[in-house]
Amino acid sequence: ACTFISLHGYANSVDSLLQRIRVSADDTNKVKLLLSASEKSMADSIPAAIEYARQAENLSVKLAYNKGLITAYTALGNCYWRSDAHEHALGYHHQALKLRENLKDSTGMHASLNRIGQLYGILGNYSKSLEYFFGAIRIAEAMGDKQKITVPLHNIGHVYILMKDYKKALKFSMDALKLNEETGTPGELAFSYNNIGIALTHLGEFD
């Protein structure tokens, strides 16, 4: 019964958005509606989510609406990521990053760099993965935002685990743990402890 209610709510939500889209003028508000439809469709239908994001992309290009274009590229990247089409996903996240760099959007650049780093890691290109994670750290440091440093630090620790460089994995995971404690973000502590436990186990130092 719970599943039925959830799906019914999902269908109503997307249907309501589509009704509004059909009567909307081709403006930035319609781009936002299309992007909302894409986001709400992702869990149930990746093809539908891609279609709405593509429509948002095309309309954003027509309107020269960079914010909408960035969000559309990010949505398409996430859709293809969910579909395991990682090369496609990478291309869209690179396009989002380029626009964010042009706009000097530090928060957006940080998010794109992290996503790209994760995708390179999934594709087994660990040197590129590290390059983008370190780039995310530099952006966070320039912003003076310690909390934003912790995510790429976790990811760097994980990449070094994948590379079987457990000493470096331990170092970066310990750095992440220290920052988590400093910034009061206990929700992220599990990532640090997990990486640290794996590294110590392989180093033969787990107690």
Short mmCIF file of all heavy atoms in Angstrom, two decimals, residues 83-137:
data_model
loop_
_atom_site.label_atom_id
_atom_site.label_comp_id
_atom_site.label_asym_id
_atom_site.label_seq_id
_atom_site.Cartn_x
_atom_site.Cartn_y
_atom_site.Cartn_z
N SER A 83 22.75 5.57 -15.25
CA SER A 83 22.60 4.54 -16.29
C SER A 83 23.90 3.79 -16.55
O SER A 83 23.97 2.98 -17.47
CB SER A 83 22.15 5.19 -17.59
OG SER A 83 20.95 5.90 -17.42
N ASP A 84 24.95 4.09 -15.76
CA ASP A 84 26.28 3.49 -15.94
C ASP A 84 26.93 3.87 -17.27
O ASP A 84 27.85 3.19 -17.73
CB ASP A 84 26.24 1.95 -15.80
CG ASP A 84 25.90 1.51 -14.38
OD1 ASP A 84 26.26 2.24 -13.45
OD2 ASP A 84 25.26 0.47 -14.22
N ALA A 85 26.46 4.95 -17.88
CA ALA A 85 27.09 5.47 -19.10
C ALA A 85 28.08 6.56 -18.67
O ALA A 85 27.85 7.76 -18.86
CB ALA A 85 26.04 6.02 -20.06
N HIS A 86 29.18 6.12 -18.06
CA HIS A 86 30.05 7.05 -17.34
C HIS A 86 30.80 8.02 -18.25
O HIS A 86 31.05 9.16 -17.87
CB HIS A 86 31.02 6.26 -16.46
CG HIS A 86 30.32 5.46 -15.41
ND1 HIS A 86 30.41 4.09 -15.32
CD2 HIS A 86 29.45 5.83 -14.43
CE1 HIS A 86 29.66 3.65 -14.32
NE2 HIS A 86 29.07 4.69 -13.77
N GLU A 87 31.14 7.59 -19.46
CA GLU A 87 31.82 8.49 -20.40
C GLU A 87 30.89 9.64 -20.80
O GLU A 87 31.30 10.80 -20.87
CB GLU A 87 32.29 7.73 -21.64
CG GLU A 87 33.38 6.70 -21.39
CD GLU A 87 34.77 7.34 -21.26
OE1 GLU A 87 34.87 8.59 -21.34
OE2 GLU A 87 35.74 6.60 -21.07
N HIS A 88 29.64 9.30 -21.06
CA HIS A 88 28.63 10.32 -21.38
C HIS A 88 28.47 11.28 -20.21
O HIS A 88 28.41 12.50 -20.39
CB HIS A 88 27.28 9.66 -21.65
CG HIS A 88 26.97 9.49 -23.11
ND1 HIS A 88 27.53 10.25 -24.10
CD2 HIS A 88 26.10 8.65 -23.73
CE1 HIS A 88 27.05 9.89 -25.27
NE2 HIS A 88 26.17 8.91 -25.08
N ALA A 89 28.36 10.71 -19.02
CA ALA A 89 28.19 11.53 -17.81
C ALA A 89 29.36 12.49 -17.65
O ALA A 89 29.17 13.68 -17.34
CB ALA A 89 28.08 10.62 -16.59
N LEU A 90 30.55 11.99 -17.89
CA LEU A 90 31.76 12.81 -17.76
C LEU A 90 31.72 14.01 -18.69
O LEU A 90 32.04 15.14 -18.30
CB LEU A 90 32.98 11.94 -18.05
CG LEU A 90 34.36 12.46 -17.67
CD1 LEU A 90 34.45 12.79 -16.19
CD2 LEU A 90 35.41 11.42 -18.05
N GLY A 91 31.29 13.78 -19.93
CA GLY A 91 31.22 14.86 -20.91
C GLY A 91 30.30 15.98 -20.46
O GLY A 91 30.65 17.17 -20.57
N TYR A 92 29.15 15.62 -19.91
CA TYR A 92 28.20 16.65 -19.47
C TYR A 92 28.71 17.40 -18.24
O TYR A 92 28.55 18.62 -18.13
CB TYR A 92 26.83 16.04 -19.20
CG TYR A 92 26.05 15.80 -20.47
CD1 TYR A 92 25.81 14.51 -20.94
CD2 TYR A 92 25.57 16.88 -21.22
CE1 TYR A 92 25.11 14.30 -22.12
CE2 TYR A 92 24.87 16.67 -22.40
CZ TYR A 92 24.65 15.38 -22.84
OH TYR A 92 23.96 15.19 -24.02
N HIS A 93 29.35 16.68 -17.32
CA HIS A 93 29.87 17.36 -16.13
C HIS A 93 31.04 18.28 -16.49
O HIS A 93 31.22 19.34 -15.88
CB HIS A 93 30.25 16.35 -15.05
CG HIS A 93 29.07 15.80 -14.32
ND1 HIS A 93 28.18 16.61 -13.63
CD2 HIS A 93 28.60 14.53 -14.19
CE1 HIS A 93 27.23 15.86 -13.10
NE2 HIS A 93 27.46 14.61 -13.42
N HIS A 94 31.81 17.90 -17.50
CA HIS A 94 32.87 18.79 -17.99
C HIS A 94 32.27 20.07 -18.58
O HIS A 94 32.81 21.18 -18.38
CB HIS A 94 33.73 18.09 -19.04
CG HIS A 94 34.92 17.37 -18.47
ND1 HIS A 94 35.94 18.02 -17.84
CD2 HIS A 94 35.24 16.05 -18.46
CE1 HIS A 94 36.86 17.15 -17.44
NE2 HIS A 94 36.44 15.94 -17.80
N GLN A 95 31.16 19.93 -19.32
CA GLN A 95 30.51 21.11 -19.89
C GLN A 95 29.97 22.03 -18.79
O GLN A 95 30.08 23.26 -18.88
CB GLN A 95 29.38 20.69 -20.82
CG GLN A 95 29.87 20.05 -22.12
CD GLN A 95 28.72 19.72 -23.05
OE1 GLN A 95 28.17 20.58 -23.71
NE2 GLN A 95 28.35 18.45 -23.10
N ALA A 96 29.40 21.44 -17.75
CA ALA A 96 28.91 22.23 -16.61
C ALA A 96 30.07 22.95 -15.94
O ALA A 96 29.96 24.14 -15.59
CB ALA A 96 28.19 21.33 -15.62
N LEU A 97 31.19 22.25 -15.76
CA LEU A 97 32.36 22.86 -15.13
C LEU A 97 32.87 24.05 -15.92
O LEU A 97 33.19 25.10 -15.35
CB LEU A 97 33.48 21.82 -14.96
CG LEU A 97 34.81 22.35 -14.41
CD1 LEU A 97 34.63 22.94 -13.01
CD2 LEU A 97 35.86 21.24 -14.39
N LYS A 98 32.93 23.91 -17.24
CA LYS A 98 33.44 25.00 -18.08
C LYS A 98 32.59 26.26 -17.91
O LYS A 98 33.12 27.38 -17.78
CB LYS A 98 33.45 24.56 -19.54
CG LYS A 98 34.08 25.58 -20.48
CD LYS A 98 34.19 25.04 -21.89
CE LYS A 98 34.81 26.07 -22.83
NZ LYS A 98 34.91 25.58 -24.22
N LEU A 99 31.28 26.09 -17.92
CA LEU A 99 30.40 27.25 -17.74
C LEU A 99 30.54 27.86 -16.35
O LEU A 99 30.53 29.08 -16.18
CB LEU A 99 28.93 26.85 -17.98
CG LEU A 99 28.51 26.65 -19.44
CD1 LEU A 99 27.06 26.19 -19.50
CD2 LEU A 99 28.67 27.95 -20.23
N ARG A 100 30.68 27.00 -15.35
CA ARG A 100 30.85 27.50 -13.98
C ARG A 100 32.16 28.27 -13.84
O ARG A 100 32.23 29.27 -13.11
CB ARG A 100 30.78 26.33 -13.00
CG ARG A 100 29.35 25.87 -12.77
CD ARG A 100 29.24 24.57 -12.03
NE ARG A 100 27.90 24.43 -11.49
CZ ARG A 100 27.38 23.29 -11.06
NH1 ARG A 100 28.10 22.17 -11.12
NH2 ARG A 100 26.15 23.25 -10.57
N GLU A 101 33.20 27.80 -14.52
CA GLU A 101 34.47 28.52 -14.51
C GLU A 101 34.30 29.90 -15.16
O GLU A 101 34.83 30.90 -14.65
CB GLU A 101 35.54 27.71 -15.23
CG GLU A 101 36.02 26.51 -14.44
CD GLU A 101 36.95 25.60 -15.23
OE1 GLU A 101 36.96 25.68 -16.49
OE2 GLU A 101 37.67 24.80 -14.61
N ASN A 102 33.59 29.95 -16.27
CA ASN A 102 33.35 31.23 -16.95
C ASN A 102 32.61 32.22 -16.06
O ASN A 102 32.85 33.42 -16.11
CB ASN A 102 32.56 31.02 -18.25
CG ASN A 102 33.36 30.30 -19.31
OD1 ASN A 102 34.59 30.26 -19.25
ND2 ASN A 102 32.68 29.72 -20.28
N LEU A 103 31.70 31.67 -15.23
CA LEU A 103 30.91 32.52 -14.32
C LEU A 103 31.60 32.75 -12.99
O LEU A 103 31.07 33.47 -12.13
CB LEU A 103 29.53 31.88 -14.08
CG LEU A 103 28.61 31.76 -15.30
CD1 LEU A 103 27.36 30.97 -14.93
CD2 LEU A 103 28.22 33.13 -15.82
N LYS A 104 32.77 32.12 -12.81
CA LYS A 104 33.51 32.21 -11.53
C LYS A 104 32.63 31.78 -10.35
O LYS A 104 32.64 32.40 -9.27
CB LYS A 104 34.07 33.61 -11.32
CG LYS A 104 35.02 34.05 -12.44
CD LYS A 104 35.75 35.32 -12.09
CE LYS A 104 36.59 35.87 -13.24
NZ LYS A 104 37.29 34.89 -14.04
N ASP A 105 31.87 30.72 -10.58
CA ASP A 105 30.97 30.16 -9.56
C ASP A 105 31.74 29.12 -8.75
O ASP A 105 31.79 27.94 -9.11
CB ASP A 105 29.75 29.54 -10.26
CG ASP A 105 28.85 28.75 -9.32
OD1 ASP A 105 29.02 28.86 -8.08
OD2 ASP A 105 27.98 28.02 -9.82
N SER A 106 32.33 29.56 -7.65
CA SER A 106 33.21 28.68 -6.87
C SER A 106 32.47 27.47 -6.30
O SER A 106 32.98 26.35 -6.35
CB SER A 106 33.87 29.47 -5.73
OG SER A 106 34.73 30.44 -6.25
N THR A 107 31.28 27.70 -5.76
CA THR A 107 30.51 26.58 -5.19
C THR A 107 30.18 25.55 -6.26
O THR A 107 30.33 24.34 -6.05
CB THR A 107 29.22 27.10 -4.52
OG1 THR A 107 29.57 28.01 -3.47
CG2 THR A 107 28.39 25.96 -3.96
N GLY A 108 29.74 26.03 -7.42
CA GLY A 108 29.42 25.13 -8.52
C GLY A 108 30.65 24.41 -9.05
O GLY A 108 30.60 23.22 -9.36
N MET A 109 31.77 25.13 -9.16
CA MET A 109 33.02 24.52 -9.62
C MET A 109 33.44 23.40 -8.68
O MET A 109 33.85 22.32 -9.12
CB MET A 109 34.13 25.58 -9.71
CG MET A 109 33.97 26.54 -10.88
SD MET A 109 34.91 28.07 -10.66
CE MET A 109 36.59 27.44 -10.57
N HIS A 110 33.33 23.66 -7.39
CA HIS A 110 33.68 22.64 -6.38
C HIS A 110 32.84 21.37 -6.58
O HIS A 110 33.37 20.25 -6.57
CB HIS A 110 33.46 23.22 -4.98
CG HIS A 110 33.74 22.27 -3.86
ND1 HIS A 110 32.77 21.45 -3.32
CD2 HIS A 110 34.88 22.01 -3.19
CE1 HIS A 110 33.30 20.73 -2.35
NE2 HIS A 110 34.58 21.04 -2.24
N ALA A 111 31.53 21.56 -6.80
CA ALA A 111 30.64 20.41 -7.00
C ALA A 111 30.99 19.66 -8.27
O ALA A 111 31.06 18.42 -8.28
CB ALA A 111 29.19 20.88 -7.06
N SER A 112 31.24 20.38 -9.36
CA SER A 112 31.59 19.73 -10.64
C SER A 112 32.92 18.99 -10.54
O SER A 112 33.05 17.87 -11.05
CB SER A 112 31.65 20.77 -11.76
OG SER A 112 30.37 21.23 -12.11
N LEU A 113 33.91 19.61 -9.92
CA LEU A 113 35.22 18.96 -9.77
C LEU A 113 35.09 17.66 -9.00
O LEU A 113 35.73 16.64 -9.35
CB LEU A 113 36.19 19.91 -9.07
CG LEU A 113 36.69 21.09 -9.91
CD1 LEU A 113 37.31 22.16 -9.01
CD2 LEU A 113 37.70 20.64 -10.96
N ASN A 114 34.27 17.66 -7.95
CA ASN A 114 34.06 16.42 -7.18
C ASN A 114 33.40 15.34 -8.02
O ASN A 114 33.80 14.17 -7.99
CB ASN A 114 33.21 16.72 -5.95
CG ASN A 114 34.04 16.99 -4.72
OD1 ASN A 114 34.92 16.20 -4.37
ND2 ASN A 114 33.79 18.10 -4.07
N ARG A 115 32.36 15.73 -8.78
CA ARG A 115 31.66 14.74 -9.62
C ARG A 115 32.60 14.16 -10.68
O ARG A 115 32.62 12.96 -10.93
CB ARG A 115 30.45 15.39 -10.29
CG ARG A 115 29.30 15.69 -9.34
CD ARG A 115 28.06 16.14 -10.09
NE ARG A 115 26.98 16.47 -9.18
CZ ARG A 115 26.66 17.71 -8.83
NH1 ARG A 115 27.35 18.73 -9.30
NH2 ARG A 115 25.65 17.94 -8.00
N ILE A 116 33.38 15.04 -11.31
CA ILE A 116 34.30 14.58 -12.35
C ILE A 116 35.36 13.67 -11.75
O ILE A 116 35.71 12.64 -12.34
CB ILE A 116 34.92 15.80 -13.08
CG1 ILE A 116 33.85 16.52 -13.91
CG2 ILE A 116 36.08 15.37 -13.98
CD1 ILE A 116 34.28 17.89 -14.42
N GLY A 117 35.86 14.03 -10.57
CA GLY A 117 36.83 13.18 -9.89
C GLY A 117 36.27 11.79 -9.61
O GLY A 117 36.94 10.78 -9.80
N GLN A 118 35.01 11.74 -9.16
CA GLN A 118 34.37 10.45 -8.89
C GLN A 118 34.22 9.63 -10.16
O GLN A 118 34.46 8.41 -10.16
CB GLN A 118 33.00 10.67 -8.24
CG GLN A 118 33.08 11.16 -6.81
CD GLN A 118 31.71 11.50 -6.26
OE1 GLN A 118 31.05 12.43 -6.69
NE2 GLN A 118 31.27 10.73 -5.28
N LEU A 119 33.84 10.28 -11.24
CA LEU A 119 33.65 9.56 -12.51
C LEU A 119 34.97 9.01 -13.03
O LEU A 119 35.03 7.87 -13.51
CB LEU A 119 32.98 10.47 -13.54
CG LEU A 119 31.48 10.64 -13.34
CD1 LEU A 119 30.96 11.85 -14.08
CD2 LEU A 119 30.73 9.38 -13.78
N TYR A 120 36.03 9.80 -12.96
CA TYR A 120 37.34 9.28 -13.39
C TYR A 120 37.75 8.09 -12.52
O TYR A 120 38.35 7.12 -13.01
CB TYR A 120 38.41 10.37 -13.33
CG TYR A 120 38.47 11.23 -14.57
CD1 TYR A 120 38.32 12.62 -14.49
CD2 TYR A 120 38.67 10.68 -15.83
CE1 TYR A 120 38.37 13.42 -15.63
CE2 TYR A 120 38.72 11.47 -16.98
CZ TYR A 120 38.57 12.83 -16.87
OH TYR A 120 38.62 13.60 -18.00
N GLY A 121 37.42 8.14 -11.23
CA GLY A 121 37.71 7.02 -10.35
C GLY A 121 36.95 5.77 -10.77
O GLY A 121 37.52 4.67 -10.83
N ILE A 122 35.67 5.92 -11.10
CA ILE A 122 34.85 4.79 -11.56
C ILE A 122 35.43 4.20 -12.84
O ILE A 122 35.44 2.98 -13.04
CB ILE A 122 33.39 5.24 -11.79
CG1 ILE A 122 32.72 5.54 -10.44
CG2 ILE A 122 32.59 4.17 -12.54
CD1 ILE A 122 31.39 6.27 -10.57
N LEU A 123 35.95 5.08 -13.71
CA LEU A 123 36.52 4.64 -14.99
C LEU A 123 37.94 4.09 -14.84
O LEU A 123 38.53 3.64 -15.82
CB LEU A 123 36.51 5.80 -15.99
CG LEU A 123 35.12 6.24 -16.47
CD1 LEU A 123 35.19 7.59 -17.18
CD2 LEU A 123 34.52 5.19 -17.40
N GLY A 124 38.47 4.15 -13.62
CA GLY A 124 39.80 3.58 -13.37
C GLY A 124 40.95 4.51 -13.72
O GLY A 124 42.11 4.08 -13.69
N ASN A 125 40.65 5.78 -14.02
CA ASN A 125 41.70 6.74 -14.31
C ASN A 125 42.02 7.49 -13.01
O ASN A 125 41.56 8.61 -12.78
CB ASN A 125 41.25 7.71 -15.41
CG ASN A 125 42.40 8.56 -15.94
OD1 ASN A 125 43.40 8.78 -15.26
ND2 ASN A 125 42.26 9.06 -17.15
N TYR A 126 42.83 6.85 -12.17
CA TYR A 126 43.03 7.37 -10.82
C TYR A 126 43.84 8.66 -10.79
O TYR A 126 43.61 9.51 -9.94
CB TYR A 126 43.68 6.29 -9.95
CG TYR A 126 42.85 5.03 -9.83
CD1 TYR A 126 43.43 3.77 -9.95
CD2 TYR A 126 41.47 5.12 -9.62
CE1 TYR A 126 42.66 2.62 -9.86
CE2 TYR A 126 40.70 3.98 -9.53
CZ TYR A 126 41.30 2.73 -9.65
OH TYR A 126 40.53 1.59 -9.57
N SER A 127 44.78 8.83 -11.70
CA SER A 127 45.57 10.06 -11.71
C SER A 127 44.68 11.26 -12.04
O SER A 127 44.80 12.33 -11.41
CB SER A 127 46.74 9.96 -12.69
OG SER A 127 46.26 9.77 -14.02
N LYS A 128 43.77 11.10 -13.00
CA LYS A 128 42.83 12.19 -13.33
C LYS A 128 41.85 12.41 -12.18
O LYS A 128 41.48 13.55 -11.87
CB LYS A 128 42.05 11.88 -14.61
CG LYS A 128 42.87 11.90 -15.87
CD LYS A 128 43.39 13.28 -16.20
CE LYS A 128 42.43 14.10 -17.00
NZ LYS A 128 43.03 15.41 -17.42
N SER A 129 41.43 11.33 -11.56
CA SER A 129 40.53 11.44 -10.42
C SER A 129 41.16 12.29 -9.33
O SER A 129 40.55 13.25 -8.82
CB SER A 129 40.21 10.04 -9.88
OG SER A 129 39.34 10.11 -8.77
N LEU A 130 42.40 12.00 -8.99
CA LEU A 130 43.10 12.77 -7.95
C LEU A 130 43.28 14.23 -8.38
O LEU A 130 43.13 15.15 -7.56
CB LEU A 130 44.47 12.14 -7.66
CG LEU A 130 44.44 10.79 -6.95
CD1 LEU A 130 45.84 10.18 -6.92
CD2 LEU A 130 43.89 10.93 -5.53
N GLU A 131 43.57 14.44 -9.65
CA GLU A 131 43.75 15.81 -10.16
C GLU A 131 42.52 16.67 -9.88
O GLU A 131 42.63 17.82 -9.43
CB GLU A 131 44.03 15.75 -11.66
CG GLU A 131 44.15 17.09 -12.35
CD GLU A 131 44.25 16.97 -13.87
OE1 GLU A 131 44.75 15.93 -14.37
OE2 GLU A 131 43.82 17.92 -14.56
N TYR A 132 41.34 16.11 -10.14
CA TYR A 132 40.11 16.88 -9.95
C TYR A 132 39.74 17.02 -8.48
O TYR A 132 39.23 18.07 -8.06
CB TYR A 132 38.97 16.28 -10.78
CG TYR A 132 39.10 16.68 -12.23
CD1 TYR A 132 39.85 15.93 -13.13
CD2 TYR A 132 38.51 17.85 -12.70
CE1 TYR A 132 40.01 16.32 -14.45
CE2 TYR A 132 38.65 18.26 -14.02
CZ TYR A 132 39.40 17.48 -14.89
OH TYR A 132 39.55 17.89 -16.20
N PHE A 133 40.03 16.00 -7.67
CA PHE A 133 39.75 16.14 -6.24
C PHE A 133 40.67 17.19 -5.60
O PHE A 133 40.22 17.98 -4.77
CB PHE A 133 39.92 14.79 -5.52
CG PHE A 133 38.82 13.81 -5.82
CD1 PHE A 133 39.11 12.46 -6.00
CD2 PHE A 133 37.50 14.22 -5.91
CE1 PHE A 133 38.10 11.55 -6.27
CE2 PHE A 133 36.48 13.31 -6.18
CZ PHE A 133 36.79 11.97 -6.35
N PHE A 134 41.93 17.20 -5.99
CA PHE A 134 42.83 18.23 -5.47
C PHE A 134 42.39 19.61 -5.95
O PHE A 134 42.53 20.60 -5.23
CB PHE A 134 44.28 17.94 -5.86
CG PHE A 134 44.95 16.91 -4.99
CD1 PHE A 134 45.38 15.69 -5.52
CD2 PHE A 134 45.15 17.13 -3.63
CE1 PHE A 134 46.00 14.73 -4.72
CE2 PHE A 134 45.75 16.18 -2.82
CZ PHE A 134 46.18 14.97 -3.36
N GLY A 135 41.85 19.67 -7.17
CA GLY A 135 41.30 20.93 -7.66
C GLY A 135 40.14 21.41 -6.80
O GLY A 135 40.01 22.61 -6.51
N ALA A 136 39.29 20.48 -6.38
CA ALA A 136 38.16 20.82 -5.50
C ALA A 136 38.66 21.35 -4.16
O ALA A 136 38.09 22.29 -3.60
CB ALA A 136 37.27 19.60 -5.30
N ILE A 137 39.74 20.75 -3.65
CA ILE A 137 40.32 21.23 -2.39
C ILE A 137 40.84 22.66 -2.54
O ILE A 137 40.62 23.51 -1.67
CB ILE A 137 41.44 20.28 -1.91
CG1 ILE A 137 40.82 18.97 -1.40
CG2 ILE A 137 42.28 20.94 -0.80
CD1 ILE A 137 41.84 17.92 -1.00
#
